[in-house]
């Protein structure tokens, strides 16, 4: 399985500001995918964004963008214009085959 | 269009008992994966079912077993429960199960073992 490292256990961000969540991965596969999921207190994992290893452009989905640096094996998530509803746990994950998840980062948005 | 549904939402068992958790995948999906998420940790892969067969398995003991039915729904069975089995169990569905596609998750079953 791939190894995912998220070094920030928790972060505070002011409403309307941007926040960057760090993620590094370790894989020997040439073809793989990188994912970010959000888990609010309700427990459901919500898909945010996907980046394929061969994609040359960084992925974007609305206020979410993925800063993909292949040589550094880094896939950081940027949330722009933070909202109170963004307060949740965020997980980085990688494939192929089964998804391997990191330990997560708790984001708290302050009004 | 119903998403992934899991039942029950909460369950309390005692050590040594057996438990069955159920999952209905999102409409049109043929692959079901199960994850265990301990409190404060990321989900850990248990196994994946495709075409009624276990296709991949994570590092979990044989006490954890599963099944997929012809309608693609799935069950997770855990025998001889241990206190350490207390966790949120998440079911995820996808189409094709190549590992490169987005997974859709249910809200999970919170299992407490006393």
């Amino acid at each position: 399985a791939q190894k995912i490292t998220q070094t920030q256990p928790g972060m505070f961000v002011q409403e309307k500001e941007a926040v960057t969540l760090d993620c590094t991965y370790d894989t020997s596969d040439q073809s793989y995918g990188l994912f970010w999921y959000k888990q609010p207190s309700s427990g459901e994992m919500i898909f945010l964004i996907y980046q394929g290893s061969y994609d040359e452009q960084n992925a974007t989905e609305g206020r979410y963008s993925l800063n993909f640096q292949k040589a550094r094996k880094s896939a950081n998530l940027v949330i722009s214009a933070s909202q109170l509803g963004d307060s949740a746990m965020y997980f980085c994950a990688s494939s192929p085959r089964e998804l391997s998840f990191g330990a997560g980062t708790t984001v708290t948005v302050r009004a | 269009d119903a998403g992934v549904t899991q039942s029950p939402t909460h369950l309390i068992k005692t050590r040594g008992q057996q438990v069955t958790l159920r999952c209905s995948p999102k409409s049109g999906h043929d692959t079901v994966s199960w994850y265990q998420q301990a409190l404060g940790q990321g989900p850990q892969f248990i196994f994946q079912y495709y075409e009624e067969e276990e296709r991949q398995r994570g590092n979990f003991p044989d006490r954890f077993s599963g099944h997929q039915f012809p309608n693609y729904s799935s069950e997770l069975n855990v025998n001889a429960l241990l206190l350490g089995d207390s966790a949120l169990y998440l079911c995820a569905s996808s189409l094709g199960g190549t590992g490169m596609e987005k997974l859709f998750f249910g809200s999970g079953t919170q299992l407490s073992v006393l």
Side-chain angles (χ1 to χ4, degrees), chain B:
Chain B
D1 176 26
V4 179
T5 58
Q6 292 186 244
S7 63
T9 53
H10 295 84
L11 205 51
I12 299 175
K13 292 286 188 178
T14 56
R15 279 181 300 174
Q17 285 190 313
Q18 178 263 343
V19 68
T20 298
L21 311 182
R22 295 176 176 82
C23 172
S24 292
K26 181 178 169 63
S27 178
H29 284 183
D30 58 7
T31 303
V32 172
S33 302
W34 287 92
Y35 287 81
Q36 179 196 65
Q37 187 177 19
L39 190 63
Q41 298 182 22
Q44 299 292 315
F45 174 72
I46 302 175
F47 42 55
Q48 182 187 77
Y49 277 85
Y50 173 72
E51 292 189 342
E52 302 179 53
E53 297 283 332
E54 182 184 291
R55 184 157 68 173
Q56 296 176 59
R57 188 179 183 91
N59 189 24
F60 277 80
D62 292 344
R63 297 187 297 109
F64 289 77
S65 63
H67 188 77
Q68 185 178 36
F69 299 93
N71 67 353
Y72 306 120
S73 67
S74 177
E75 288 181 349
L76 164 65
N77 301 294
V78 187
N79 294 323
L81 284 167
L82 304 174
L83 296 180
D85 295 332
S86 295
L88 179 68
Y89 288 83
L90 294 164
C91 170
S93 74
S94 59
L95 182 61
T98 64
M100 305 296 273
E101 71 283 354
K102 177 172 65 174
L103 297 186
F104 289 79
F105 284 83
S107 296
T109 294
Q110 185 66 55
L111 173 65
S112 298
V113 182
L114 305 179

Side-chain angles (χ1 to χ4, degrees), chain A residues 13-19 63 79-84 86 107 109:
Chain A
V13 59
Q14 206 63 31
E15 197 177 9
K16 299 180 185 176
E17 291 186 350
V19 61
R63 295 186 298 112
I79 306 174
S80 61
S82 294
Q83 303 171 355
L84 295 177
D86 293 336
V107 172
V109 181

Side-chain angles (χ1 to χ4, degrees), chain A residues 12 14 23 25 64 75-76:
Chain A
F12 291 92
Q14 206 63 31
C23 171
Y25 58 93
Y64 305 106
N76 297 341

Side-chain angles (χ1 to χ4, degrees), chain A residues 48-49 58-66 77-81 83:
Chain A
L48 296 178
I49 196 166
N58 284 341
T60 60
E61 291 278 356
R63 295 186 298 112
Y64 305 106
S65 60
L66 199 153
L77 176 71
V78 179
I79 306 174
S80 61
Q83 303 171 355

Side-chain angles (χ1 to χ4, degrees), chain A residues 31-33 35 37 39 42-47 50 52-53 89 91 94-104, chain B residues 4 33 35 37 40-45 48 56-58 88 90 97-108:
Chain A
S31 178
Y32 52 89
F35 301 77
Y37 282 85
Q39 188 177 41
S42 61
E44 183 179 353
M45 300 283 279
I46 301 167
F47 168 80
Y50 165 82
S53 58
M89 193 81 161
F91 291 97
S94 75
S95 59
R97 298 175 294 281
E98 76 278 8
L99 273 190
S100 297
F101 286 84
Chain B
V4 179
S33 302
Y35 287 81
Q37 187 177 19
Q41 298 182 22
Q44 299 292 315
F45 174 72
Q48 182 187 77
Q56 296 176 59
R57 188 179 183 91
L88 179 68
L90 294 164
T98 64
M100 305 296 273
E101 71 283 354
K102 177 172 65 174
L103 297 186
F104 289 79
F105 284 83
S107 296

